[in-house]
Amino acid sequence: MGRKSMKESRQKEIIVACYKLAKKEGLENTSIAKIAQSMNINPSLIIHYFQTREELIYGLIDYMLAKYKGIFNVPKRSNKSAREILLEVIDHLFSKKWNALFDDSLFYGCFALTFRDHKIKIKYKVVLDELRKSLAELIEASVKEGSIQVAHPYDVADTTFMILDGAYFYVNLLKDPKQINEKLGEFKPKVLALLGICEPNTN
Amino acid sequence: MGRKSMKESRQKEIIVACYKLAKKEGLENTSIAKIAQSMNINPSLIIHYFQTREELIYGLIDYMLAKYKGIFNVPKRSNKSAREILLEVIDHLFSKKWNALFDDSLFYGCFALTFRDHKIKIKYKVVLDELRKSLAELIEASVKEGSIQVAHPYDVADTTFMILDGAYFYVNLLKDPKQINEKLGEFKPKVLALLGICEPNTN
DNA sequence: TGTTTGATTGAACGTTTAGTTAATTTATTT
DNA sequence: AAATAAATTAACTAAACGTTCAATCAAACA
């Protein structure tokens, strides 16, 4: 008896509002009061669903990292070869397409928290490792298929993400989207070389 | 006439105190009042030397980035060959030795600000480019010396820092110093390979 | 010595912060 | 219709925030 709980859905709504605000104004300028204002609800309601601000931030990070994992998801058609899928994924990783979907500012803002919050550090570590593993599995599938030859798939996946993370780190400091794409384009061939592929079609 | 200005030296003292505090507590928890408290001075004095908190942060970033540039400075003896110096620098870059000197937490914390503050973005960009240029010049010197063969020194320097930045990004999520050194050790040979060097002495 | 100028302080400003508590509204069940 | 439990709000607190202002103190020079 009594009223039905809206906890999960309401928490999600609050996190989404928090995400939007933090993306625009920065994490340090995103207060409970401001989130409440943007939703036209009472600040106390946010405290009601997340007991503390800290808990809300954890929720925000989970939400953000889930989005981040999405950089790996490319529409897969079952009739495609493993190699085709692999190349599509790499193409996707080195494009700024998913930039609209995902916000780097928040990603780095929360990353800074990993140094003082062990829970957050683990969250990041888990996601980064998952991504490496996913890519490694994609490489393995291509190897089994016989379409590429790679001795240590996980190593290649690891190196790929090192280059990728390093490249995006730098590229975020460029203002011109054209420059960004150029720079990213420079590094894609280096990753393909790791896979023993010498440029497919550069267009 | 009148009293001598202590502006420069006092500003420096305040920035150093700010740096220490931000390193320990995080940038978002570093207030003017707390800095003043740590120095046993009045908060107003900090405002006196930096008109606003924003100005203080700019000072902090300049100071921090100057330290960051220090990762490149390895004691150079004039009797060493260009190749020897180059290898020492790379060794230094891939060691965590300079971690005591420099704090990553603050580096990433301030990096997050680049997304909303163009001045800060430029500060970072300039330093990253300077480091790439310095490494490129070191490579060029070795090429001229005839001790290594590299077609495009700047490209190699650029790629080196991509790998380095990507590696440190990941490595910061590891807790065990041993693991950190292992991981970094994995990537040093890859950079040396770019220089056409196949492991000098791994010990 | 008196004047000038910067160093430094202390008190107060209004605003914002995260969080508490108590009351009220709303939906659901018996 | 009464009971119940969760949703939501209103009012509030205490602390912290960056900043302002006026006053005082200390050094340098005329």
Side-chain angles (χ1 to χ4, degrees):
Chain A
M1 60 194 76
R3 208 170 161 173
K4 276 184 190 164
S5 173
M6 304 165 62
K7 194 168 185 178
E8 276 194 33
S9 66
R10 217 73 172 101
Q11 279 186 326
K12 183 70 178 286
E13 285 178 52
I14 293 167
I15 287 172
V16 170
C18 177
Y19 177 83
K20 284 182 185 169
L21 228 122
K23 182 174 162 175
K24 207 199 295 176
E25 318 254 5
L27 191 60
E28 71 278 14
N29 299 316
T30 302
S31 65
I32 292 172
K34 283 181 189 169
I35 300 166
Q37 198 182 9
S38 81
M39 299 175 73
N40 282 318
I41 60 167
N42 199 287
S44 314
L45 194 57
I46 294 177
I47 293 290
H48 175 245
Y49 285 112
F50 306 86
Q51 282 57 249
T52 61
R53 181 190 142 94
E54 194 184 27
E55 217 60 39
L56 171 60
I57 298 294
Y58 289 152
L60 172 69
I61 290 176
D62 286 336
Y63 176 70
M64 183 264 297
L65 288 180
K67 280 202 167 213
Y68 180 64
K69 277 205 284 184
I71 65 172
F72 202 86
N73 297 332
V74 168
K76 294 176 192 173
R77 302 263 171 107
S78 47
N79 59 338
K80 280 181 187 162
S81 70
R83 185 193 154 112
E84 277 174 320
I85 293 171
L86 175 62
L87 288 178
E88 260 185 39
V89 166
I90 290 176
D91 208 62
H92 193 236
L93 289 175
F94 279 90
S95 80
K96 259 276 184 184
K97 289 170 197 165
W98 49 271
N99 204 39
L101 174 87
F102 178 75
D103 183 58
D104 294 279
S105 146
L106 204 43
F107 182 75
Y108 287 110
C110 294
F111 183 78
L113 301 178
T114 63
F115 290 89
R116 251 157 296 104
D117 190 314
H118 195 246
K119 272 192 191 176
I120 298 177
K121 180 170 272 184
I122 288 173
K123 285 180 194 293
Y124 267 79
K125 176 76 163 43
V126 165
V127 170
L128 260 57
D129 283 337
E130 278 176 8
L131 283 173
R132 278 159 171 74
K133 204 186 162 207
S134 297
L135 183 58
E137 283 167 358
L138 224 50
I139 295 172
E140 270 173 352
S142 297
V143 170
K144 267 190 190 156
E145 193 186 63
S147 54
I148 64 167
Q149 285 183 338
V150 168
H152 304 100
Y154 190 87
D155 277 7
V156 170
D158 198 24
T159 306
T160 298
F161 274 106
M162 294 286 174
I163 293 175
L164 194 67
D165 291 341
Y168 272 101
F169 182 76
Y170 182 82
V171 139
N172 272 312
L173 297 173
L174 302 171
K175 59 174 196 293
D176 185 11
K178 203 177 163 184
Q179 278 184 298
I180 293 175
N181 281 322
E182 262 178 38
K183 202 73 185 172
L184 290 176
E186 279 180 38
F187 286 93
K188 200 171 76 177
K190 291 184 202 288
V191 167
L192 293 175
L194 295 173
L195 298 166
I197 299 170
C198 288
E199 289 271 344
N201 49 336
T202 332
N203 300 351
Chain B
M1 61 193 77
R3 205 169 164 175
K4 276 185 192 163
S5 172
M6 304 165 62
K7 194 168 185 179
E8 277 194 32
S9 66
R10 216 76 172 99
Q11 278 186 327
K12 183 71 178 285
E13 285 178 51
I14 293 167
I15 286 173
V16 170
C18 177
Y19 177 83
K20 283 182 186 169
L21 228 123
K23 182 175 163 175
K24 206 198 295 175
E25 317 253 6
L27 191 61
E28 72 277 15
N29 300 316
T30 303
S31 65
I32 292 172
K34 283 181 189 167
I35 300 167
Q37 198 182 11
S38 82
M39 299 175 73
N40 282 319
I41 60 167
N42 200 287
S44 316
L45 195 56
I46 294 176
I47 292 290
H48 175 245
Y49 286 112
F50 305 86
Q51 282 55 250
T52 62
R53 180 190 143 96
E54 195 185 25
E55 218 60 40
L56 171 60
I57 299 295
Y58 289 151
L60 172 69
I61 290 176
D62 286 335
Y63 176 70
M64 183 264 297
L65 287 180
K67 280 203 166 210
Y68 180 64
K69 277 205 285 184
I71 65 173
F72 202 85
N73 297 333
V74 168
K76 295 175 191 173
R77 303 264 170 107
S78 47
N79 58 339
K80 279 181 187 163
S81 70
R83 185 193 153 113
E84 277 175 320
I85 293 171
L86 174 63
L87 287 178
E88 259 185 39
V89 165
I90 290 177
D91 208 62
H92 193 235
L93 289 176
F94 278 90
S95 80
K96 259 277 185 183
K97 288 170 197 166
W98 49 271
N99 204 39
L101 174 87
F102 178 74
D103 183 58
D104 295 279
S105 146
L106 204 42
F107 182 74
Y108 287 110
C110 294
F111 183 78
L113 301 179
T114 63
F115 290 89
R116 251 157 298 105
D117 190 315
H118 195 246
K119 272 193 191 177
I120 298 178
K121 180 171 272 185
I122 288 173
K123 285 180 194 293
Y124 267 80
K125 176 76 163 44
V126 166
V127 170
L128 261 57
D129 283 337
E130 279 176 7
L131 284 172
R132 278 158 171 75
K133 204 185 161 208
S134 296
L135 183 58
E137 283 168 359
L138 224 50
I139 295 172
E140 268 173 354
S142 297
V143 170
K144 267 190 191 155
E145 193 186 64
S147 53
I148 64 167
Q149 287 182 335
V150 167
H152 305 101
Y154 191 88
D155 277 7
V156 170
D158 197 25
T159 306
T160 297
F161 275 105
M162 294 286 174
I163 294 174
L164 194 67
D165 291 341
Y168 272 101
F169 181 77
Y170 181 82
V171 139
N172 272 312
L173 297 173
L174 302 171
K175 59 174 197 293
D176 185 11
K178 204 177 165 185
Q179 278 183 299
I180 292 175
N181 281 323
E182 262 178 37
K183 203 72 187 173
L184 290 177
E186 278 178 37
F187 286 93
K188 200 172 76 177
K190 291 184 202 290
V191 167
L192 294 175
L194 294 174
L195 298 166
I197 300 169
C198 287
E199 288 271 344
N201 49 336
T202 332
N203 298 351

